[in-house]
Structure formats: C-alpha cells, structure tokens
Amino acid sequence: MINLSLNQVSFSYSDSPVLHHIDLVVERGEMVAVLGPNGSGKTTLIKLASGVLKPTEGEIHLDGSRLSRLKRREVAQRVAVVPQQFNMPFAFTLREVVLLGRTPFLRAFSDEGKEDHRVVQQAIALIGIEELKERFFNELSGGERQKAILAMALAQEPKLLLLDEPTAHLDINHQGEILDLVKSLNREQGLTVIGAMHDLNLAALYFDRLIFLKEGRIFADGPPAEVLTEETIREVFSASVQVMQHPTTKVPHVVITPKGSSG
Amino acid sequence: MFTRLKQNHRLLVLVVLGAILLLCLLIAAALGSESISPIDIAKNTLNKMALTNFSLSPAWEDRNHEIILFQIRLPRVVAGALVGAALAVAGVLFQGLLRNPMADPYIIGTSAGAAFGATIAMVLPLSVALLGFGLVPIAAFFGALGAVFLVYNLARVGGKTPIVSMLLAGFAVSAMLIAVMFFMVTLSGRTELIHTVYSFLMGSISVSGWNQIAIIAPLIIGGIILARFFAFRLNAFSLGEEGARYLGIDVEREKLLILGLGSLLTAAAVSISGLVGFVGLVVPHAVRLVLGPDHRLLLPAAALAGGAFLVLADLFARTMLSPREIPLGILTALIGAPFFIYLLRRTRREYAF
C-alpha cells in the first residue's frame, strides 16, 4: 500500500531551485532515510512531505489524497514531524508538551477530553518516559526532550512519521536510544518513517532504505548494502572514504582516513 | 519546583481570584476623599440590582454618597478593572503568539497605535458630533491594529520575532506615533487638546458616568471570552510557528485573529484610560509564575488578576497624594519599568530562541 508518493516534484525558494523533478514512492511501513550534504534538499523534502511547504511543480499524494488539497489540520492528523529540536519559551511540563500532539484533533472551541488523555498517557508509556512526565520540558536533557517530542508526535496518532535530523544535537548514547525507539515504532506499530539523516552510519544501521540526494536530484535509492558504497559517497559528498562492514550487523560502515596516514 | 494544579482545582483558582477582584472593587469604591462604608456599598449595590431592599444609613442620605458612589466612584473603579483585565489578556495573547515574555501592548507600540487612532477621532470635529464616544474606540482599534502589524513586520527576522528587534521596533513606532499625535494637535490649532493628549499619554482612568463603560464593557468582556477559545492553540504556538504548523494550525489565519483580538482589547482599554503601561507585562508574568503557562488557566486568571491589580493601582494613584492625583500610567511605569529591566537582564540567560 502506497503511503506517500511524489510525482515530478520540484521546489524553489524564490529564485534558487532546491529540488528537481523528484519521483518517489514510499510504501506503508517502510523506514526510509534521506541522505546528502547540506543544501542537497533533504530538509526541504521532509517539509514538502509534511505539507508545510508546497511544491512549485508536481504533486504529492498522501494515502491517495492530494496533499495540497488537505487542510493543515487533516494533514496533522496523519503526519507527525520530529525536528532537530524545539525551543520552549515557557515552563510547560513534559506531559503538557505531549498533550500538544492532540491539537489537530480538538475542535476550535473545546479543550481536550478523556480520550486525548488516554492517548497521551499511552504515548508517554510507549516511549518510556513516565517518570519524567511532571518535569519541566526546559529542564530535561537534549535526549529526554527529543523523547518527549517523539511522544508528542505519537500523540498525533500518525500514519507517517517524518524526522528532520532528529539526533543532530544529541550525544551518542541518546542517538542510539532515539533511533531504537523509532525503529520499534516502525516494526511494532507499522508506522511509516521517513528521516532526513546527517550521519551515514546511523542511517545504515537503522533504516532499510537509503535515498541519496545530490543537488536536488535522487542519485541513489536502495537498501544500505546496495547503495552505501565508496562510489556513492564520492559522487554525492565529493569525499573519499572507505566502506567496511559493521562487526555485528554486517551493514556497510563508512570510515574516513586522515590525510597522510598510511595503513 | 511545584506540581501543577489538577483540572478541578483550576475552577477553584478562578473563584478565589474572582473573590479577590470583588474585594478590591469594594475597597476601592469605599476609599477616597469621602469614605463610604463598604457595608453601605454592598447594601446599595444589591438594592440597585433590585435583589434586596436594605434600609440606608444616615451618612448615606446626608453626604451625597449615592451620587459619589454611583456616578463617580463606581464607574471609575469598574473601568479600572476592565482596563486591567483587557491589558493583561492582550499581554498574554501577544506573549503567547510571539513566544516572547516581553511583549506588552505598551512596549510593542499597540497602545500608542490605539492612542494615535483615538486622537484622530478626537481631533476631527465632525466625527465627534456624529458618533460621540463610539468613534474613539473604533479609531483606536484601527490604530492599534496598524501599529501591531507595522511593529510585527519591522521586527520579523527570518521567520522569527527576536526580543531585541521587537522592542526596538515597538519603541520606534511608539515614538513616531506620539510625535505625529502632537503634530496633529498643533496643526488643529486647538490648544485645549494639547492638555487632553498629554494626560492621555500619561494614562488615567477618565470616565464620566456609565455611558462609556456601556460601550467598552461588552468589547472587553466579549474579547476576553473569545480569547479563551484560542487557549489550546496558543499553547501550540509555544513550539514556534513551524511547530504549530506541524500540529495542524493554520498559522497565518490564527496569527491574524490573535493579533486582531489583542489589538481590540488594547484599543478598548486605551480609549478610556490612555496609555497605561506594563500591566500586560507584570500581571501575566506573575500569574504564569504561580499557575504555569497553560493558556487555558492563564488567560482567565490574568484577566481577573489584571483587573484587581489595576483597581488597586488606581486607588493608590488617586489617594496617595490626595487631593492631587498621580497619573495612573506614571504609577504603573514606576512599578513596571524596573520589573521590565529585571526581566530583560534575566531573559538574556534563560530564554533561547
């Protein structure tokens, strides 16, 4: 079943084109990473899929409906986004932040009901942050906040979860934790996941399908073992690397070698 | 750190705040150049509402308390409560939308915009004859709205409204509007208006009888009730405009509605009090500190607390140096400005955008 499809999608910010004629189909339950250097258009692709940006050309379909025809609220009932980080100017508790995930389900003139609290509680339990729920969001560590945002996204009961470099600001222990959680949501809840990723190795370890963007075009698309190669990295990132095998999972693992080193 | 109030405690908090507001109203109505016994006030107010038929004390009959209370003091005290509630709620709306705890209608130039509109209405001789006081709030509303959008667009940098650029834009727009106000008055050649505009800028509750309140009260009370409907979405705005968009909010439309509502409340307040600053800053901040940032409680609580705060401030303004009166705006600035400076210093450390 197709969850998201992009048909000849192009996007430009005023005069500067970012994406060129992207064709892409993501099936329900897939876990897809979008990779590429800064400026290659990964974040733009995520924003287009979330509907906050509209394609300059082409069409995006979500579960068969044209994304541009859906109201923001209807999109948010199906698609949740976890960005790099959220800044919170006021002292909301973690539970209050997760409750914000119910925003697309509330009527204009009413507050949340029992069902909303049940969904929030479930999302908090699923992410395993019950002991933090009355703490202030601003006082949590970066990893804890990202978990809270993930729980908020789950409270939207989405069909599609979009990640925009969700681990960019985290220490290595939290990077693994967050991606483990995302992966279990994908495996156990059947949630479709599309993530713009900065770290090639994390992407290869956690995602089943990697899409490499180069200057706004898809350069390679496939399982890590097929597309994460020395040649892809050379072409997409203009970097010379060696690709080895992860000792346990056997997926490709990228290493760089400093200039002047000899082996 | 303290834990948050449970849902059913919210109502209790509002009842307590409502009682405090009533108490402040009663005290403020009792005190002044001529003291009136609070018991007499309570009895007579109930009599007026045709709820009771208490007999009146001799002092009431002898000393014109009837006229002092119902024609002079009560309108002023009620107007004070309305102005305080409107400015506090406008502050909460601007702060929530802009994610900026420093956004007060006075500081970001909305009040000056309202005063500008009101001055135009006062200077035009024809309009006064046509619509009486009714034109002042309308002109004040468009002035406030214009100022909000001007400041907002000037302060906007790459999709965000940083504190510093908003304060600067607010200051510049206020200064310009006030200059143009005096220029207009000078051009009109009506020197008596200079004094009017001057006292307008210093801020004081000036109502004569109930007529102005009859126009302003529905605007302010209706505006506050309407504001409450935006509470949940204002909470979502604290994740930023993009975050709010991800949560399904039509950001541009909501922004327009919330800024419009904040302008309406500011304009209604300014048209009977002139520029009373810092109420929208001090009150929401204090309420947020005690009750938390959830707009569903913050909005009604700030309305009640703002009302009580301004009733007391106005009481001080008219009794402290009696028979002289301190302009109310001067008094709130004496309290609010140091608090603003303190916030500005602290904000630099605590709030990252």
Side-chain angles (χ1 to χ4, degrees):
Chain A
M1 273 243 277
I2 293 170
N3 199 170
L4 185 80
S5 69
L6 282 74
N7 187 5
Q8 286 291 301
V9 167
S10 300
F11 183 82
S12 327
Y13 284 106
S14 53
D15 277 347
S16 54
V18 183
L19 291 173
H20 306 274
H21 307 292
I22 302 281
D23 278 312
L24 175 65
V25 172
V26 176
E27 309 268 341
R28 188 159 294 166
E30 276 197 279
M31 183 140 173
V32 184
V34 183
L35 299 159
N38 289 331
S40 61
K42 356 183 242 302
T43 296
T44 304
L45 189 67
I46 295 295
K47 287 188 176 171
L48 285 168
S50 75
V52 301
L53 289 181
K54 305 255 177 273
T56 5
E57 274 175 66
E59 267 302 331
I60 302 176
H61 285 83
L62 177 70
D63 293 328
S65 330
R66 278 170 73 165
L67 195 55
S68 55
R69 294 255 178 95
L70 295 176
K71 294 194 178 111
R72 273 271 10 108
R73 184 182 146 81
E74 293 171 322
V75 177
Q77 289 174 352
R78 304 183 207 182
V79 181
V81 183
V82 176
Q84 286 186 20
Q85 59 181 352
F86 271 132
N87 289 317
M88 177 62 86
F90 302 117
F92 281 99
T93 64
L94 184 149
R95 199 184 54 76
E96 288 169 329
V97 170
V98 177
L99 181 61
L100 294 179
R102 298 306 293 165
T103 308
F105 297 92
L106 297 183
R107 290 169 198 281
F109 294 116
S110 69
D111 292 340
E112 82 281 5
K114 279 208 175 94
E115 167 68 7
D116 299 301
H117 282 292
R118 190 191 61 75
V119 174
V120 165
Q121 189 48 45
Q122 201 179 28
I124 289 175
L126 209 57
I127 302 298
I129 46 175
E130 273 158 315
E131 73 282 9
L132 302 174
K133 71 182 177 188
E134 299 305 328
R135 296 264 307 274
F136 290 123
F137 181 80
N138 282 337
E139 290 174 356
L140 302 174
S141 73
E144 289 167 339
R145 282 193 216 186
Q146 222 37 351
K147 285 186 194 170
I149 295 303
L150 199 54
M152 182 183 89
L154 282 186
Q156 284 175 254
E157 300 182 294
K159 306 282 182 296
L160 173 61
L161 181 65
L162 299 171
L163 312 169
D164 187 7
E165 301 191 22
T167 56
H169 295 282
L170 301 184
D171 292 333
I172 193 161
N173 52 337
H174 290 126
Q175 292 181 344
E177 261 186 308
I178 293 289
L179 290 172
D180 279 328
L181 277 169
V182 170
K183 185 132 190 174
S184 74
L185 294 171
N186 169 259
R187 292 291 188 267
E188 283 152 33
Q189 318 278 318
L191 194 59
T192 313
V193 178
I194 304 176
M197 292 292 293
H198 201 69
D199 188 310
L200 299 172
N201 291 325
L202 281 175
L205 281 169
Y206 286 95
F207 290 79
D208 308 316
R209 176 178 166 193
L210 307 184
I211 293 172
F212 283 91
L213 289 180
K214 185 191 177 187
E215 291 159 8
R217 292 187 170 83
I218 294 179
F219 179 84
D221 179 354
E226 282 174 30
V227 293
L228 187 54
T229 61
E230 287 169 15
E231 199 220 328
T232 309
I233 307 298
R234 187 164 51 246
E235 286 294 326
V236 174
F237 290 90
S238 321
S240 157
V241 298
Q242 284 168 290
V243 174
M244 326 203 21
Q245 252 188 5
H246 187 278
T248 324
T249 64
K250 308 295 177 212
V251 299
H253 193 84
V254 177
V255 294
I256 58 171
T257 309
K259 253 186 194 162
S261 314
S262 55
Chain B
M1 202 179 83
F2 42 88
T3 46
R4 278 300 157 66
L5 292 156
K6 296 227 164 62
Q7 196 91 18
N8 48 346
H9 291 168
R10 281 187 190 159
L11 196 63
L12 185 67
V13 167
L14 295 179
V15 169
V16 170
L17 281 171
I20 292 173
L21 173 60
L22 274 181
L23 190 67
C24 292
L25 285 167
L26 196 62
I27 293 169
L31 297 176
S33 52
E34 176 73 27
S35 308
I36 307 174
S37 128
I39 296 165
D40 274 357
I41 296 173
K43 279 184 182 172
N44 278 281
T45 309
L46 292 172
N47 280 358
K48 277 271 169 194
M49 295 158 113
L51 294 168
T52 52
N53 195 13
F54 291 113
S55 57
L56 308 171
S57 70
W60 183 270
E61 306 283 354
D62 298 346
R63 312 187 63 171
N64 278 333
H65 281 184
E66 170 94 18
I67 289 171
I68 294 175
L69 180 66
F70 287 107
Q71 295 308 311
I72 299 168
R73 206 167 290 160
L74 217 46
R76 174 157 183 168
V77 168
V78 168
L82 287 168
V83 167
L87 292 176
V89 169
V92 171
L93 289 175
F94 291 143
Q95 288 152 20
L97 183 71
L98 304 173
R99 313 173 72 213
N100 190 328
M102 317 291 282
D104 162 86
Y106 179 76
I107 295 165
I108 65 170
T110 322
S111 296
F116 179 74
T119 308
I120 292 181
M122 288 190 277
V123 170
L124 295 175
L126 177 71
S127 58
V128 182
L130 277 178
L131 283 156
F133 178 72
L135 191 74
V136 174
I138 297 169
F141 170 66
F142 285 106
L145 200 62
V148 161
F149 282 96
L150 187 58
V151 168
Y152 177 75
N153 285 310
L154 286 173
R156 202 114 170 105
V157 183
K160 287 184 180 156
T161 354
I163 293 180
V164 174
S165 69
M166 202 188 61
L167 298 180
L168 289 175
F171 170 76
V173 168
S174 287
M176 186 184 75
L177 290 173
I178 288 168
V180 176
M181 274 162 71
F182 277 110
F183 188 64
M184 280 191 314
V185 171
T186 312
L187 276 187
S188 79
R190 292 162 63 192
T191 41
E192 83 280 3
L193 272 178
I194 291 195
H195 182 73
T196 312
V197 170
Y198 202 69
S199 56
F200 207 59
L201 289 184
M202 295 209 287
S204 63
I205 307 283
S206 60
V207 285
S208 42
W210 293 100
N211 292 343
Q212 285 159 282
I213 293 179
I215 296 171
I216 291 304
L219 284 178
I220 290 178
I221 293 169
I224 290 170
I225 292 170
L226 203 57
R228 175 60 183 75
F229 290 129
F230 287 94
F232 206 97
R233 279 164 286 166
L234 276 170
N235 286 349
F237 264 105
S238 57
L239 291 173
E241 285 184 19
E242 190 160 282
R245 230 171 242 133
Y246 290 147
L247 291 173
I249 289 175
D250 184 343
V251 167
E252 295 310 315
R253 194 192 64 187
E254 295 292 309
K255 206 158 47 179
L256 199 69
L257 292 174
I258 293 169
L259 289 178
L261 191 55
S263 306
L264 176 79
L265 287 166
T266 308
V270 167
S271 56
I272 49 172
S273 73
L275 299 193
V276 176
F278 300 100
V279 180
L281 180 84
V282 175
V283 174
H285 196 85
V287 176
R288 215 180 268 121
L289 216 56
V290 179
L291 300 178
D294 186 340
H295 288 87
R296 291 173 297 172
L297 182 59
L298 179 58
L299 281 164
L304 295 169
F309 174 80
L310 210 65
V311 168
L312 288 185
D314 188 47
L315 175 65
F316 279 113
R318 67 188 159 84
T319 54
M320 216 157 69
L321 299 181
S322 180
R324 276 177 300 160
E325 212 175 274
I326 309 166
L328 180 58
I330 303 292
L331 193 76
T332 59
L334 284 174
I335 305 168
F339 181 73
F340 172 75
I341 293 165
Y342 155 77
L343 268 188
L344 197 61
R345 298 289 309 169
R346 218 194 47 158
T347 301
R348 284 171 52 179
R349 279 188 285 115
E350 276 192 9
Y351 297 106
F353 283 89

